[in-house]
Amino acid sequence: MEGGNSPSLQLQQLPLATAAVSVQPHTDSFSYKENLIGALLAIFGHLVSSIALNLQKYSHIRLAGSKDPRAYFRTKTWWSGLLLLVLGELGVFSSYAFAPLSLIVPLSAVSVVASAIIGIIFIKEKWKPKEFLRRYVLSFVGCGLAVVGTYLLVTFGPNSHEKMTAENITRHLVSWPFLLYMLVEIIVFCLLLYFYKERNANYIVIILLLVALLGSMTVVTVKAVAGMMLVSIQGTLQLDSPIFYIMLVCMVATAVYQATFLAQASQLYDSAQISSIGYILSTTAAISAGATFYLDFMGEDVLHICMFALGCLVAFLGVFLITRNRKKPVPFEPYISMDAMPGMQNMHDKGVAVQPELKASFSYGALENNDSMPEIYTPATLPIVQEQHGPKGVSAPPYRVLEHTKKE
């Protein structure tokens, strides 16, 4: 009996073994296909969003001298930019449903590269041939590094794919690694908020760390919401679960507070510093949150993890070089420079400033005490004109011209 049953058992086990062998390559190819779809959607979304923001910026620049502050509402350029911006954000949002969180977040470097290229080509700033390399060589090097980093991220990105069902999200939400991560993040966030609000520590690193911590929770909830919507479209309804609405509320709340801190940072610091430092901190925090919540790097070998980290570092360096060479805005001055006026001779040859520096109170050079200034900068004296009186006499003039001395 044993000899007769063994061939049948072998025949029954053969298809199972064959099926088990054939499933693994199909799963790997399917996960790579999902990674590629998510990466392409993210790149497309960031490119379209960058073009949209530059279109709206171009519309605002054209109407800078308009008396109506809302004149841009009547332009097709601004509305085209708004529609493209919505399309780009939808592309980025949908990319989280296909690829792991740790792969999608660093691809925001594409928007920085696109903005740099658009600024160099289409803004048409006046520059001399000798200044071209000095002004734009870092930008081109940064763009190249960002492209190399993006390629490494897409190639060696994590392949963890899990259906975003309500049961799986709830299981990740109550897991001890994520609870420990949330405890540490809440403590760090409260400490930073204390120093920022109570001690007036308005350092750019503190503000952008607050943004990064909030942003890490934003991307976690975005992936959960987008993934549950995709599963619902595929046929398994997930929108009736309470965890979906909990994630949706957390996504909106963290995004609003994140925008608030970004607005405060933009009032204190240059946009180039915010772009570079914010990208590095936000990407690092988001990858840490994705690795803890969704276990993105579970089962990955050391080589893939190291190459992925190298891609992140290369992208960080590229974004830093791009934003480092941006032209800083000229601060507001409450007076007109004398050497900028047509027909006015330059009086700054010896380094003596005609106008004062901007102080707490607006004061002009003519109102300053000039006792210590050289004779050439003292107020001019008006000559006295003696009027001739007729023989019958004329009444005194209604005014007198006084001589100005240096003591006065």
Side-chain angles (χ1 to χ4, degrees):
M1 294 296 292
E2 292 180 359
N5 290 335
S6 59
S8 63
L9 290 176
Q10 292 177 358
L11 291 175
Q12 292 177 1
Q13 292 175 358
L14 182 60
L16 295 176
T18 306
V21 173
S22 62
V23 166
Q24 188 64 31
H26 177 72
T27 303
D28 291 342
S29 62
F30 183 72
S31 63
Y32 179 77
K33 181 180 178 181
E34 282 193 333
N35 278 6
L36 185 60
I37 293 175
L40 291 177
L41 283 173
I43 292 173
F44 170 78
H46 287 302
L47 282 175
V48 173
S49 298
S50 180
I51 295 173
L53 292 175
N54 281 276
L55 280 177
Q56 290 185 330
K57 182 179 180 181
Y58 176 74
S59 178
H60 285 289
I61 291 175
R62 288 188 60 187
L63 300 174
S66 177
K67 296 181 180 180
D68 187 7
R70 298 183 178 180
Y72 55 88
F73 282 134
R74 296 190 294 270
T75 61
K76 296 180 180 180
T77 306
W78 190 86
W79 285 105
S80 299
L82 180 62
L83 293 177
L84 289 177
L85 183 62
V86 173
L87 179 62
E89 293 301 325
L90 285 177
V92 176
F93 177 80
S94 60
S95 66
Y96 285 96
F98 293 94
L101 174 63
S102 301
L103 173 62
I104 299 299
V105 172
L107 295 180
S108 58
V110 175
S111 62
V112 182
V113 176
S115 298
I117 295 175
I118 292 173
I120 293 174
I121 296 176
F122 295 103
I123 289 181
K124 297 180 180 179
E125 296 179 348
K126 294 181 179 179
W127 50 270
K128 297 178 181 180
K130 295 181 180 180
E131 297 179 352
F132 181 79
L133 290 177
R134 182 178 60 86
R135 294 187 61 181
Y136 294 119
V137 65
L138 291 179
S139 297
F140 284 115
V141 172
C143 290
L145 291 176
V147 171
V148 173
T150 302
Y151 174 77
L152 293 176
L153 290 173
V154 175
T155 305
F156 298 98
N159 290 321
S160 61
H161 292 274
E162 182 182 16
K163 284 189 176 183
M164 293 291 102
T165 60
E167 181 181 357
N168 291 335
I169 293 175
T170 305
R171 179 168 50 84
H172 288 306
L173 192 61
V174 298
S175 62
W176 70 265
F178 181 71
L179 292 177
L180 181 61
Y181 175 82
M182 281 296 300
L183 178 62
V184 174
E185 182 168 313
I186 290 174
I187 294 174
V188 174
F189 184 85
C190 292
L191 288 176
L192 293 174
L193 191 62
Y194 169 76
F195 284 106
Y196 176 63
K197 293 292 185 180
E198 300 296 331
R199 298 300 181 91
N200 294 324
N202 297 328
Y203 301 106
I204 186 172
V205 176
I206 292 180
I207 302 176
L208 294 182
L209 270 176
L210 292 171
V211 174
L213 294 177
L214 289 172
S216 64
M217 292 298 100
T218 302
V219 293
V220 166
T221 54
V222 165
K223 180 172 177 58
V225 172
M228 293 177 75
M229 292 177 65
L230 179 63
V231 173
S232 299
I233 293 174
Q234 290 176 349
T236 307
L237 184 62
Q238 302 293 324
L239 304 184
D240 57 349
S241 176
I243 193 65
F244 173 80
Y245 298 97
I246 293 174
M247 288 293 181
L248 182 62
V249 171
C250 292
M251 179 185 71
V252 175
T254 53
V256 170
Y257 282 106
Q258 185 182 357
T260 302
F261 284 112
L262 275 177
Q264 295 175 4
S266 63
Q267 295 176 358
L268 299 175
Y269 298 97
D270 184 45
S271 60
Q273 292 179 328
I274 296 174
S275 299
S276 59
I277 301 176
Y279 171 74
I280 295 172
L281 295 178
S282 298
T283 303
T284 304
I287 292 176
S288 302
T292 307
F293 188 86
Y294 294 108
L295 304 177
D296 287 342
F297 297 96
M298 182 67 68
E300 297 288 335
D301 55 1
V302 179
L303 178 61
H304 278 73
I305 296 177
C306 292
M307 294 302 295
F308 181 81
L310 178 62
C312 290
L313 293 177
V314 172
F316 290 166
L317 181 59
V319 171
F320 174 75
L321 292 179
I322 293 172
T323 55
R324 185 177 181 272
N325 203 36
R326 283 186 180 177
K327 187 178 180 181
K328 296 182 179 181
V330 180
F332 171 74
E333 295 180 354
Y335 56 84
I336 300 175
S337 179
M338 298 294 291
D339 56 359
M341 297 177 64
M344 182 66 67
Q345 302 225 349
N346 191 1
M347 302 176 66
H348 300 271
D349 294 335
K350 295 183 180 181
V352 181
V354 177
Q355 300 289 356
E357 294 183 355
L358 179 61
K359 298 179 181 178
S361 61
F362 293 106
S363 60
Y364 289 78
L367 302 180
E368 294 290 326
N369 186 7
N370 295 325
D371 291 343
S372 61
M373 299 294 291
E375 188 69 25
I376 187 174
Y377 297 111
T378 57
T381 58
L382 299 177
I384 298 178
V385 179
Q386 301 289 341
E387 295 188 359
Q388 299 292 334
H389 297 279
K392 295 183 179 180
V394 183
S395 60
Y399 62 91
R400 292 184 302 169
V401 180
L402 300 178
E403 284 189 5
H404 294 274
T405 62
K406 185 175 180 181
K407 294 182 180 181
E408 293 177 349

mmCIF file of all heavy atoms in Angstrom, residues 310-326:
data_model
loop_
_atom_site.group_PDB
_atom_site.id
_atom_site.type_symbol
_atom_site.label_atom_id
_atom_site.label_comp_id
_atom_site.label_asym_id
_atom_site.label_seq_id
_atom_site.Cartn_x
_atom_site.Cartn_y
_atom_site.Cartn_z
ATOM 1 N N LEU A 310 22.032 55.428 -0.313
ATOM 2 C CA LEU A 310 22.928 56.212 -1.169
ATOM 3 C C LEU A 310 22.136 57.090 -2.133
ATOM 4 O O LEU A 310 22.501 58.255 -2.367
ATOM 5 C CB LEU A 310 23.850 55.269 -1.939
ATOM 6 C CG LEU A 310 24.830 55.927 -2.921
ATOM 7 C CD1 LEU A 310 25.788 56.847 -2.176
ATOM 8 C CD2 LEU A 310 25.596 54.875 -3.715
ATOM 9 N N GLY A 311 21.055 56.564 -2.685
ATOM 10 C CA GLY A 311 20.207 57.373 -3.559
ATOM 11 C C GLY A 311 19.613 58.562 -2.822
ATOM 12 O O GLY A 311 19.534 59.671 -3.372
ATOM 13 N N CYS A 312 19.207 58.368 -1.575
ATOM 14 C CA CYS A 312 18.674 59.488 -0.779
ATOM 15 C C CYS A 312 19.745 60.550 -0.538
ATOM 16 O O CYS A 312 19.485 61.756 -0.666
ATOM 17 C CB CYS A 312 18.139 58.963 0.553
ATOM 18 S SG CYS A 312 16.631 57.988 0.437
ATOM 19 N N LEU A 313 20.958 60.118 -0.203
ATOM 20 C CA LEU A 313 22.043 61.074 0.047
ATOM 21 C C LEU A 313 22.400 61.857 -1.212
ATOM 22 O O LEU A 313 22.633 63.079 -1.161
ATOM 23 C CB LEU A 313 23.270 60.340 0.578
ATOM 24 C CG LEU A 313 23.136 59.718 1.967
ATOM 25 C CD1 LEU A 313 24.412 58.956 2.342
ATOM 26 C CD2 LEU A 313 22.843 60.792 3.008
ATOM 27 N N VAL A 314 22.432 61.179 -2.361
ATOM 28 C CA VAL A 314 22.739 61.860 -3.622
ATOM 29 C C VAL A 314 21.633 62.869 -3.960
ATOM 30 O O VAL A 314 21.908 63.998 -4.408
ATOM 31 C CB VAL A 314 22.923 60.831 -4.757
ATOM 32 C CG1 VAL A 314 23.056 61.522 -6.104
ATOM 33 C CG2 VAL A 314 24.158 59.973 -4.493
ATOM 34 N N ALA A 315 20.373 62.491 -3.750
ATOM 35 C CA ALA A 315 19.265 63.415 -3.995
ATOM 36 C C ALA A 315 19.323 64.599 -3.028
ATOM 37 O O ALA A 315 19.058 65.744 -3.421
ATOM 38 C CB ALA A 315 17.927 62.687 -3.860
ATOM 39 N N PHE A 316 19.685 64.357 -1.767
ATOM 40 C CA PHE A 316 19.837 65.449 -0.797
ATOM 41 C C PHE A 316 20.896 66.444 -1.268
ATOM 42 O O PHE A 316 20.685 67.670 -1.237
ATOM 43 C CB PHE A 316 20.226 64.899 0.572
ATOM 44 C CG PHE A 316 19.132 64.140 1.262
ATOM 45 C CD1 PHE A 316 19.415 63.340 2.357
ATOM 46 C CD2 PHE A 316 17.828 64.201 0.811
ATOM 47 C CE1 PHE A 316 18.409 62.626 2.990
ATOM 48 C CE2 PHE A 316 16.810 63.496 1.433
ATOM 49 C CZ PHE A 316 17.106 62.713 2.526
ATOM 50 N N LEU A 317 22.043 65.937 -1.700
ATOM 51 C CA LEU A 317 23.116 66.807 -2.166
ATOM 52 C C LEU A 317 22.701 67.588 -3.404
ATOM 53 O O LEU A 317 23.019 68.784 -3.534
ATOM 54 C CB LEU A 317 24.366 65.970 -2.457
ATOM 55 C CG LEU A 317 25.607 66.726 -2.936
ATOM 56 C CD1 LEU A 317 26.038 67.769 -1.919
ATOM 57 C CD2 LEU A 317 26.748 65.761 -3.238
ATOM 58 N N GLY A 318 21.983 66.942 -4.311
ATOM 59 C CA GLY A 318 21.522 67.645 -5.507
ATOM 60 C C GLY A 318 20.576 68.774 -5.187
ATOM 61 O O GLY A 318 20.708 69.887 -5.722
ATOM 62 N N VAL A 319 19.616 68.542 -4.301
ATOM 63 C CA VAL A 319 18.670 69.599 -3.913
ATOM 64 C C VAL A 319 19.397 70.729 -3.202
ATOM 65 O O VAL A 319 19.103 71.914 -3.410
ATOM 66 C CB VAL A 319 17.562 69.005 -3.029
ATOM 67 C CG1 VAL A 319 16.689 70.100 -2.436
ATOM 68 C CG2 VAL A 319 16.707 68.050 -3.840
ATOM 69 N N PHE A 320 20.382 70.402 -2.371
ATOM 70 C CA PHE A 320 21.146 71.443 -1.675
ATOM 71 C C PHE A 320 21.905 72.325 -2.658
ATOM 72 O O PHE A 320 21.929 73.559 -2.516
ATOM 73 C CB PHE A 320 22.113 70.783 -0.684
ATOM 74 C CG PHE A 320 23.051 71.760 -0.021
ATOM 75 C CD1 PHE A 320 22.604 72.595 0.979
ATOM 76 C CD2 PHE A 320 24.374 71.844 -0.424
ATOM 77 C CE1 PHE A 320 23.461 73.502 1.582
ATOM 78 C CE2 PHE A 320 25.246 72.735 0.169
ATOM 79 C CZ PHE A 320 24.781 73.576 1.176
ATOM 80 N N LEU A 321 22.520 71.722 -3.671
ATOM 81 C CA LEU A 321 23.268 72.512 -4.651
ATOM 82 C C LEU A 321 22.335 73.366 -5.509
ATOM 83 O O LEU A 321 22.678 74.495 -5.879
ATOM 84 C CB LEU A 321 24.104 71.593 -5.545
ATOM 85 C CG LEU A 321 25.274 70.872 -4.864
ATOM 86 C CD1 LEU A 321 25.989 69.970 -5.859
ATOM 87 C CD2 LEU A 321 26.251 71.876 -4.256
ATOM 88 N N ILE A 322 21.158 72.849 -5.828
ATOM 89 C CA ILE A 322 20.214 73.623 -6.635
ATOM 90 C C ILE A 322 19.737 74.847 -5.869
ATOM 91 O O ILE A 322 19.724 75.968 -6.385
ATOM 92 C CB ILE A 322 19.027 72.747 -7.059
ATOM 93 C CG1 ILE A 322 19.487 71.668 -8.033
ATOM 94 C CG2 ILE A 322 17.936 73.589 -7.714
ATOM 95 C CD1 ILE A 322 18.420 70.648 -8.350
ATOM 96 N N THR A 323 19.329 74.665 -4.634
ATOM 97 C CA THR A 323 18.774 75.774 -3.855
ATOM 98 C C THR A 323 19.852 76.725 -3.347
ATOM 99 O O THR A 323 19.558 77.879 -3.046
ATOM 100 C CB THR A 323 17.987 75.225 -2.657
ATOM 101 O OG1 THR A 323 18.847 74.355 -1.883
ATOM 102 C CG2 THR A 323 16.792 74.427 -3.132
ATOM 103 N N ARG A 324 21.087 76.264 -3.264
ATOM 104 C CA ARG A 324 22.155 77.129 -2.757
ATOM 105 C C ARG A 324 22.459 78.273 -3.714
ATOM 106 O O ARG A 324 22.892 79.347 -3.304
ATOM 107 C CB ARG A 324 23.427 76.298 -2.533
ATOM 108 C CG ARG A 324 24.568 77.065 -1.903
ATOM 109 C CD ARG A 324 25.758 76.154 -1.655
ATOM 110 N NE ARG A 324 26.859 76.871 -1.029
ATOM 111 C CZ ARG A 324 27.807 77.523 -1.690
ATOM 112 N NH1 ARG A 324 27.772 77.526 -3.017
ATOM 113 N NH2 ARG A 324 28.767 78.145 -1.060
ATOM 114 N N ASN A 325 22.229 78.080 -5.006
ATOM 115 C CA ASN A 325 22.590 79.081 -6.004
ATOM 116 C C ASN A 325 21.415 79.955 -6.407
ATOM 117 O O ASN A 325 21.507 80.701 -7.370
ATOM 118 C CB ASN A 325 23.146 78.398 -7.261
ATOM 119 C CG ASN A 325 24.024 79.332 -8.074
ATOM 120 O OD1 ASN A 325 24.735 80.148 -7.514
ATOM 121 N ND2 ASN A 325 23.956 79.220 -9.379
ATOM 122 N N ARG A 326 20.292 79.866 -5.692
ATOM 123 C CA ARG A 326 19.159 80.711 -6.043
ATOM 124 C C ARG A 326 19.423 82.154 -5.660
ATOM 125 O O ARG A 326 20.075 82.451 -4.665
ATOM 126 C CB ARG A 326 17.881 80.221 -5.335
ATOM 127 C CG ARG A 326 17.276 78.989 -5.980
ATOM 128 C CD ARG A 326 15.963 78.652 -5.331
ATOM 129 N NE ARG A 326 15.355 77.478 -5.923
ATOM 130 C CZ ARG A 326 14.225 76.939 -5.498
ATOM 131 N NH1 ARG A 326 13.581 77.462 -4.483
ATOM 132 N NH2 ARG A 326 13.725 75.870 -6.094
#
